[in-house]
């Protein structure tokens, strides 16, 4: 601070804050605020994890959960390890996957409506799973993973090529996705109508649930989701550049075509694995990025980590709530996220001017 | 999906037009001498309605000195062609089945001079189904045309805004509580109307704006999809399979009892939409300010048009179920045929009727002994069509 400048009248002992730049908060303070927010979100996630482990037909205290996790002689060991741990872990993984996938897709398509559901990727996974059930007689839950992944991969490749490949525009991607979506769900419906066994399995799978989670399922989807997470976080910077338009992005050293392909790969890994494990949970990927953008602004280097933390908060919270509301049974998590997330999404839309609307 | 017209194509098209038919002012009446001109300036066939010159020639018909009707020959021909195709396939469809009846016989029986057996098969068993297809197709397409015009986005059709999902929720509630099929239709209408009301109430902020309506519609749709999934898990397996059949969209076993409400709705709402709002909607597509300047009460027109679009979609869903894709594709197909600007309400309705009748005929006859519900066929065809369209436009370097 120069001597000629009048020093700010401060009564505190802390050093005076640097003069505000004309627009917004100073960069350092903004960084600190966002980092603090992220830390807060992580604490929230931890609390919900404990809650999810402790809540159920037999409620456990935090201490009991802790013993149940570590001590194999503890009375809670079987409850925690047998049922609630896989379920909670799956909720975490699926939440991270859907949140990141939604964030990457909305950035990629520059489309506020982009969502794994809307671009047909969930539908691809569903169609593959219904094929597996109806025609190949797959019954094991873990058998779905491969089919769902393959379906998601085929559909995202198809959306991408049909939607224009290199020169994909948001409108064309969205249209391609909607087209495939409707066509694939017609196929799914046809299979369900012609085969009651498929109907009986699919109607429980398509609502999205964590209830049948097993350690096996978790381990099977973990590598896919982990690699998807890594790819998406690495994409934050190039996708930021891409938001300026292809020419600007190229000038900044990003390669638009390569970034798009990598984004599609990441979204496929994330959505395919999440959908296989928990069924098509549509709403999280659409809503979380919208909420996060209200908190962090459009910078993906902040947005994506926030998405990765807040989406599982939403998903676990919804799962616990579903167990609470549906007693003695439960409401499937996909239903709770839809019913809960809907009003929240509408509220954000009404409060904020999303994309000029 | 409005393809951007490149400067080059725009010049290509305007240049010959000035020398050709376009130069003659519309409505000069005697166009005998300009007969050979169109052949000379025939434009290369192109895809995409918006890339074409706006609307082709306008003609005026003066049946009486005080009355003048302006029309575009191309639009008229497209609408008439679709309507003819719809009715022709309808007659074929009435004639086909376990007891085949020739088209001439069908027409005679409908006119009231068939044998008692024919009268029963045609008028009681098969005709209601075909009429349901015609009306539901027209209603869905009209609803889609209005929505796409207001939202200014081809994705803004009632299927994507949650209206048909709302109708489904209403119907599912009835199915699970074990209601009759009449109650099911009532539930569907109520569900659709309530959803429309909810979307409008949420999206209203000094008027209805396109993108906000889409976003809110999608939010509502996502919620309702969750609710529907839940309702489906609560049903017994038999009820669930009945519900899924309805959710796909099916015309199987429709009788006069199911068709009559839709017939009344279309009779009332079609004129309201087409005559009352058609021209104003076309003006409003130029932008709110321009339309205001031309004396159009944009908000009121939008509200009326959207209200009747919601009602049309709800009644269509009540009769045929939420048939996929007709509301989305029919207006776009019609637009490609007419190459006229604006919502193209009448051609869209004719196209929708033709599409659904053809799809229903295919669903009954094209898959061997196994009859599929019509919604499966429209879904597969519609998806295929849109994919093809996108691929074509990509190759042509458009969009």
């Amino acid at each position: 601070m120069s001597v000629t400048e009048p020093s700010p009248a401060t009564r505190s002992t802390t050093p005076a804050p640097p003069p505000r730049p004309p627009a917004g908060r100073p960069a350092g303070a903004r960084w600190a605020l966002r980092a603090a927010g992220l830390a807060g979100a992580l604490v929230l996630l931890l609390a919900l994890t404990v809650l999810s482990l402790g809540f159920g037909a037999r409620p456990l205290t935090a201490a009991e959960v802790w013993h149940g996790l570590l001590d194999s002689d503890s009375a809670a060991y079987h409850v925690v390890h047998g049922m609630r741990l896989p379920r909670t872990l799956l909720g975490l993984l699926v939440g991270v996957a859907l949140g990141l996938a939604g964030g990457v897709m909305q950035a990629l398509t520059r489309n506020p409506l982009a969502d794994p559901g809307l671009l047909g990727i969930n539908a691809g996974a569903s169609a593959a799973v219904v094929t597996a059930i109806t025609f190949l007689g797959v019954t094991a839950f873990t058998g779905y993973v491969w089919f769902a992944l393959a379906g998601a991969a085929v559909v995202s490749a198809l959306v991408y090529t049909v939607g224009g490949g290199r020169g994909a525009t948001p409108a064309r991607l969205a249209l391609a996705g909607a087209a495939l979506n409707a066509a694939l769900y017609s196929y799914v419906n046809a299979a369900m109508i012609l085969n009651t066994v498929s109907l009986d399995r699919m109607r429980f799978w398509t609502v999205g649930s964590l209830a049948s989670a097993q350690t096996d399922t978790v381990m099977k989807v973990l590598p896919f989701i982990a690699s998807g997470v890594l790819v998406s976080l690495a994409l934050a910077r190039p996708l930021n550049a891409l938001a300026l338009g292809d020419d600007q992005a190229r000038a900044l050293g990003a390669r638009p075509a390569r970034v798009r392909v990598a984004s599609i790969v990441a979204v496929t890994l994330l959505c395919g694995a999440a959908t296989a494990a928990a069924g098509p949970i549509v709403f999280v990927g659409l809503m979380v990025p919208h909420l996060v953008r209200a908190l962090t602004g459009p910078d993906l280097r902040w947005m994506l980590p926030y998405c990765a933390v807040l989406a599982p908060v939403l998903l676990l919270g919804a799962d616990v709530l579903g167990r609470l509301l549906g007693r003695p049974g439960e409401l499937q998590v996909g239903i709770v996220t839809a019913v809960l997330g809907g009003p929240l999404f509408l509220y954000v839309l009404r409060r904020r001017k999303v994309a000029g609307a | 999906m409005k393809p951007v017209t490149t400067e080059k194509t725009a010049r290509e098209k305007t240049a010959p037009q000035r020398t050709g038919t376009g130069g003659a002012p519309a409505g000069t009446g005697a166009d005998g001498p300009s007969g050979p001109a169109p052949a000379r300036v025939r434009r290369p066939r192109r895809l995409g309605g918006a890339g074409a010159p706006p609307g082709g020639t306008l003609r005026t018909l003066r049946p009486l000195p005080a009355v003048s009707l302006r029309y575009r020959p191309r639009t008229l021909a497209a609408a008439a062609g679709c309507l003819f195709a719809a009715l022709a396939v309808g007659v074929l469809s009435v004639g086909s089945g376990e007891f085949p009846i020739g088209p001439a016989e069908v027409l005679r029986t409908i006119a009231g001079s068939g044998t008692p057996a024919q009268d029963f098969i045609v008028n009681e068993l098969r005709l209601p189904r075909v009429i349901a297809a015609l009306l539901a197709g027209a209603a869905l397409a009209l609803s889609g045309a209005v929505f796409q015009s207001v939202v200014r986005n081809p994705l803004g059709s009632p299927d994507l805004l949650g209206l048909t999902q709302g109708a489904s929720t209403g119907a599912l509630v009835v199915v699970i509580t074990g209601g009759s099929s009449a109650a099911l239709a009532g539930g569907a209408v109520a569900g659709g109307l309530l959803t429309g009301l909810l979307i409008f109430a949420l999206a209203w902020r000094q008027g209805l704006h396109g993108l906000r309506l889409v976003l809110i519609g999608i939010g509502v749709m996502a919620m309702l999809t969750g609710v529907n999934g839940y309702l489906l898990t609560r049903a017994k397996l038999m009820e669930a399979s009945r519900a899924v059949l309805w959710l796909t969209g099916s015309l199987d076993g429709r009788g006069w009892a199911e068709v009559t409400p839709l017939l009344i709705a279309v009779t009332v709402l079609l004129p309201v939409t087409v005559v009352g709002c058609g021209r104003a909607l076309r003006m409003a597509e130029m932008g709110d300010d321009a339309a205001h300047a031309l004396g159009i009460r944009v908000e009121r027109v939008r509200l009326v048009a959207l209200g009747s679009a919601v009602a049309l979609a709800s009644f269509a869903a009540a009769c045929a179920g939420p048939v996929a894709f007709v509301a989305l594709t029919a207006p776009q197909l019609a637009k490609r045929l007419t190459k006229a600007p604006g919502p193209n309400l009448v051609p869209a309705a004719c196209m929708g009727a033709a599409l659904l009748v053809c799809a229903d005929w295919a669903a009954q006859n094209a898959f061997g002994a196994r009859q599929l519900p019509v919604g499966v066929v429209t879904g597969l065809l519609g998806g295929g069509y849109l994919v093809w369209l996108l691929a074509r436009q990509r190759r042509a370097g458009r969009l």
Side-chain angles (χ1 to χ4, degrees), chain A residues 97-242:
Chain A
L98 292 176
L100 275 178
V104 168
M105 276 172 101
Q106 292 187 8
L108 176 71
T109 60
R110 278 178 250 156
N111 187 335
L113 312 185
D115 170 88
L118 199 69
L119 288 201
I121 295 174
N122 280 344
S126 298
V129 169
V130 84
T131 307
I133 293 175
T134 311
F135 298 109
L136 306 173
V138 175
T139 50
F141 191 79
T142 47
Y144 299 166
V145 177
W146 298 104
F147 286 97
L149 261 182
V154 168
V155 169
S156 24
L158 216 58
V159 170
Y160 186 66
T161 41
V162 170
R166 237 165 232 273
T169 62
R172 194 158 53 181
L173 267 180
L175 263 179
L180 284 167
N181 214 353
L184 288 168
Y185 272 121
S186 298
Y187 167 73
V188 171
N189 270 347
M192 290 193 346
I193 286 166
L194 298 177
N195 186 332
T196 20
V197 179
S198 312
L199 167 62
D200 206 22
R201 291 227 181 89
M202 283 296 285
R203 69 181 170 140
F204 289 102
W205 184 76
T206 45
V207 287
S209 171
L210 302 173
S212 43
Q214 288 158 2
T215 321
D216 196 19
T217 320
V218 177
M219 294 322 285
K220 216 157 203 172
V221 295
L222 181 64
F224 298 109
I225 293 183
S227 44
V229 168
L230 289 180
V231 177
S232 356
L233 290 179
L235 279 169
R237 194 184 278 269
L239 275 174
N240 262 348
L242 214 61

Side-chain angles (χ1 to χ4, degrees), chain A residues 112-113 118 161-165 169 171-172 174-176 178-180 182-183 186-187 189-190 192-194 196 199-200 203-204 207 282-283 286 290 330-332 334-335 338-339 341-343 345-346 349-357, chain B residues 1 154-155 160 201-205 209 211-212 214-216 218-220 222-223 226-227 229-230 232-237 240-241 244-245 247-248 324-325 370-373 375-376 378-380 383-384 386-387 390-391 393-394 398-399:
Chain A
L113 312 185
L118 199 69
T161 41
V162 170
T169 62
R172 194 158 53 181
L175 263 179
L180 284 167
S186 298
Y187 167 73
N189 270 347
M192 290 193 346
I193 286 166
L194 298 177
T196 20
L199 167 62
D200 206 22
R203 69 181 170 140
F204 289 102
V207 287
V282 194
F283 216 72
L286 182 70
H290 274 289
E330 61 175 82
L331 285 173
Q332 285 86 346
I335 295 157
V339 175
F345 175 68
L346 297 176
L349 273 184
R350 270 185 75 78
R351 242 190 83 236
R352 284 170 50 80
K353 293 192 166 183
V354 177
Chain B
M1 180 188 43
L155 284 174
L160 280 177
L202 288 168
W204 183 274
R205 187 191 281 164
H209 188 282
L211 187 57
R212 192 165 64 233
V214 173
L215 283 166
I216 286 181
I218 285 191
V220 170
M223 281 170 64
V227 173
Y230 173 70
L232 212 53
T233 61
R234 281 291 137 118
K236 297 187 195 86
L237 189 55
S241 83
V244 169
L245 186 63
L247 286 176
T248 311
F325 257 116
R370 199 154 223 180
Q371 294 202 358
L372 284 175
V376 173
T378 58
L380 294 175
L386 267 186
V387 168
L390 289 157
Q393 292 195 325
R394 176 179 157 220
R398 297 164 146 273
L399 197 76

Side-chain angles (χ1 to χ4, degrees), chain A:
Chain A
M1 197 173 294
S2 70
V3 192
T4 50
E5 235 179 82
S7 67
T10 48
R11 265 160 289 162
S12 64
T13 51
T14 52
R20 284 184 164 214
R25 283 196 193 84
R30 204 164 50 199
W31 195 92
L33 197 68
R34 284 174 177 174
L38 198 57
L42 271 171
V43 171
L44 194 63
L45 183 57
L46 197 66
L48 268 168
T49 309
V50 174
L51 196 63
S52 171
L53 286 172
F55 190 83
R58 202 189 121 201
L60 304 173
T61 63
E64 278 178 307
V65 167
W66 182 253
H67 286 301
L69 273 178
L70 300 179
D71 180 9
S72 61
D73 294 332
S74 150
Y77 183 82
H78 285 292
V79 177
V80 171
H81 276 262
M83 295 181 296
R84 294 191 197 159
L85 189 62
R87 179 176 194 149
T88 306
L89 284 179
L90 193 67
L92 282 172
L93 282 178
V94 169
V96 171
L98 292 176
L100 275 178
V104 168
M105 276 172 101
Q106 292 187 8
L108 176 71
T109 60
R110 278 178 250 156
N111 187 335
L113 312 185
D115 170 88
L118 199 69
L119 288 201
I121 295 174
N122 280 344
S126 298
V129 169
V130 84
T131 307
I133 293 175
T134 311
F135 298 109
L136 306 173
V138 175
T139 50
F141 191 79
T142 47
Y144 299 166
V145 177
W146 298 104
F147 286 97
L149 261 182
V154 168
V155 169
S156 24
L158 216 58
V159 170
Y160 186 66
T161 41
V162 170
R166 237 165 232 273
T169 62
R172 194 158 53 181
L173 267 180
L175 263 179
L180 284 167
N181 214 353
L184 288 168
Y185 272 121
S186 298
Y187 167 73
V188 171
N189 270 347
M192 290 193 346
I193 286 166
L194 298 177
N195 186 332
T196 20
V197 179
S198 312
L199 167 62
D200 206 22
R201 291 227 181 89
M202 283 296 285
R203 69 181 170 140
F204 289 102
W205 184 76
T206 45
V207 287
S209 171
L210 302 173
S212 43
Q214 288 158 2
T215 321
D216 196 19
T217 320
V218 177
M219 294 322 285
K220 216 157 203 172
V221 295
L222 181 64
F224 298 109
I225 293 183
S227 44
V229 168
L230 289 180
V231 177
S232 356
L233 290 179
L235 279 169
R237 194 184 278 269
L239 275 174
N240 262 348
L242 214 61
L244 301 170
D246 283 12
D247 292 339
Q248 291 274 347
R250 241 178 248 116
L252 288 171
R255 301 187 185 195
R258 209 178 272 189
V259 175
R260 289 205 175 93
V261 170
S263 306
I264 300 269
V265 168
V267 167
T268 304
L269 285 170
L270 294 169
C271 293
T275 306
I281 299 175
V282 194
F283 216 72
V284 179
L286 182 70
M287 183 180 52
V288 169
H290 274 289
L291 288 173
V292 167
R293 209 173 287 121
L295 293 172
T296 65
D299 185 349
L300 288 170
R301 285 171 303 170
W302 283 106
M303 237 192 87
L304 291 183
Y306 264 85
C307 283
V309 178
L310 285 181
V313 166
L314 177 75
L315 205 67
L316 282 182
D319 190 38
V320 171
L321 201 66
R323 283 183 258 169
L324 184 71
L325 290 177
R327 278 188 299 185
E330 61 175 82
L331 285 173
Q332 285 86 346
V333 65
I335 295 157
V336 181
T337 51
V339 175
L340 260 193
L344 202 59
F345 175 68
L346 297 176
Y347 171 73
V348 174
L349 273 184
R350 270 185 75 78
R351 242 190 83 236
R352 284 170 50 80
K353 293 192 166 183
V354 177

